[in-house]
Amino acid sequence: MIPNSMPRSLIKLVLSAAVAATLAASPVQARDATDGDDTAAIIAALLGLVTLGVLLSEGDDKPSYSYGHASRPHKPAYPHRISKRKALPERCLREFRTQTGRKVMFGKRCLEKNFKYASDLPRTCKRDLIVKNRKGIYVNRKVFKPACLSKRGYRVVHRY
């Protein structure tokens, strides 16, 4: 894909000039003047024209704007809203210290206290995690994986 830093017409002009210069500078074999077979020369010229046409027509499938306006995707006037059933409270996203390092997960108890629909969360996203508590003892906690919930349409909301 060609970056938009240069206009496409300038890029097409440079590419076509490079192809024309390459074809003009290519070595030509000396032939006998009596040899009337110019088939190879005609085929080479046609191939050059086809190549030049392909280079010039590249990118023509995109609409051109006569006034220089760029198209922008339509954005609705209102922000995209998440349903209450899929809006997870940010405060329940916690960092747990495990034997293999730190993991960021949703705590099950926090979700049960702060998320009305915690009982509806997918069971496939639920995990048992062995974490170190405040006393330094490893204990078992029920957590939900954020990536798994995200794949199923759940999103974190900052204000709940």
Side-chain angles (χ1 to χ4, degrees), residues 42-113:
I42 292 172
I43 292 174
L46 287 175
L47 284 175
L49 288 174
V50 168
T51 305
L52 189 61
V54 167
L55 287 174
L56 290 176
S57 68
E58 186 174 303
D60 283 346
D61 56 341
K62 295 181 181 175
S64 61
Y65 299 98
S66 58
Y67 298 108
H69 298 291
S71 67
R72 292 185 181 92
H74 172 69
K75 290 185 181 178
Y78 56 90
H80 179 68
R81 301 189 133 211
I82 301 170
S83 74
K84 289 182 180 181
R85 291 184 161 275
K86 299 281 186 170
L88 299 170
E90 182 184 33
R91 71 176 92 169
C92 293
L93 196 57
R94 303 227 170 117
E95 187 175 274
F96 294 97
R97 295 182 302 168
T98 68
Q99 294 172 335
T100 59
R102 296 180 183 266
K103 307 250 188 225
V104 178
M105 303 278 188
F106 283 101
K108 181 181 179 237
R109 286 189 292 181
C110 180
L111 287 173
E112 287 172 348
K113 289 179 186 176

Side-chain angles (χ1 to χ4, degrees), residues 1-155:
M1 189 89 195
I2 299 172
N4 289 333
S5 61
M6 292 176 55
R8 287 192 181 273
S9 59
L10 179 63
I11 293 171
K12 288 179 184 179
L13 179 67
V14 170
L15 284 176
S16 61
V19 169
T22 304
L23 290 176
S26 64
V28 179
Q29 291 182 350
R31 282 190 239 133
D32 191 326
T34 59
D35 187 20
D37 189 18
D38 290 335
T39 309
I42 292 172
I43 292 174
L46 287 175
L47 284 175
L49 288 174
V50 168
T51 305
L52 189 61
V54 167
L55 287 174
L56 290 176
S57 68
E58 186 174 303
D60 283 346
D61 56 341
K62 295 181 181 175
S64 61
Y65 299 98
S66 58
Y67 298 108
H69 298 291
S71 67
R72 292 185 181 92
H74 172 69
K75 290 185 181 178
Y78 56 90
H80 179 68
R81 301 189 133 211
I82 301 170
S83 74
K84 289 182 180 181
R85 291 184 161 275
K86 299 281 186 170
L88 299 170
E90 182 184 33
R91 71 176 92 169
C92 293
L93 196 57
R94 303 227 170 117
E95 187 175 274
F96 294 97
R97 295 182 302 168
T98 68
Q99 294 172 335
T100 59
R102 296 180 183 266
K103 307 250 188 225
V104 178
M105 303 278 188
F106 283 101
K108 181 181 179 237
R109 286 189 292 181
C110 180
L111 287 173
E112 287 172 348
K113 289 179 186 176
N114 298 298
F115 185 54
K116 185 177 179 180
Y117 306 101
S119 61
D120 296 337
L121 290 172
R123 291 182 185 184
T124 56
C125 298
K126 190 176 178 180
R127 299 286 185 265
D128 286 332
L129 193 66
I130 299 173
V131 300
K132 191 183 274 188
N133 66 7
R134 292 180 184 152
K135 295 179 183 178
I137 302 170
Y138 285 100
V139 294
N140 189 20
R141 294 280 185 250
K142 305 280 187 201
V143 295
F144 286 90
K145 291 180 72 173
C148 179
L149 292 171
S150 177
K151 285 181 184 176
R152 285 156 179 79
Y154 290 90
R155 300 289 178 251

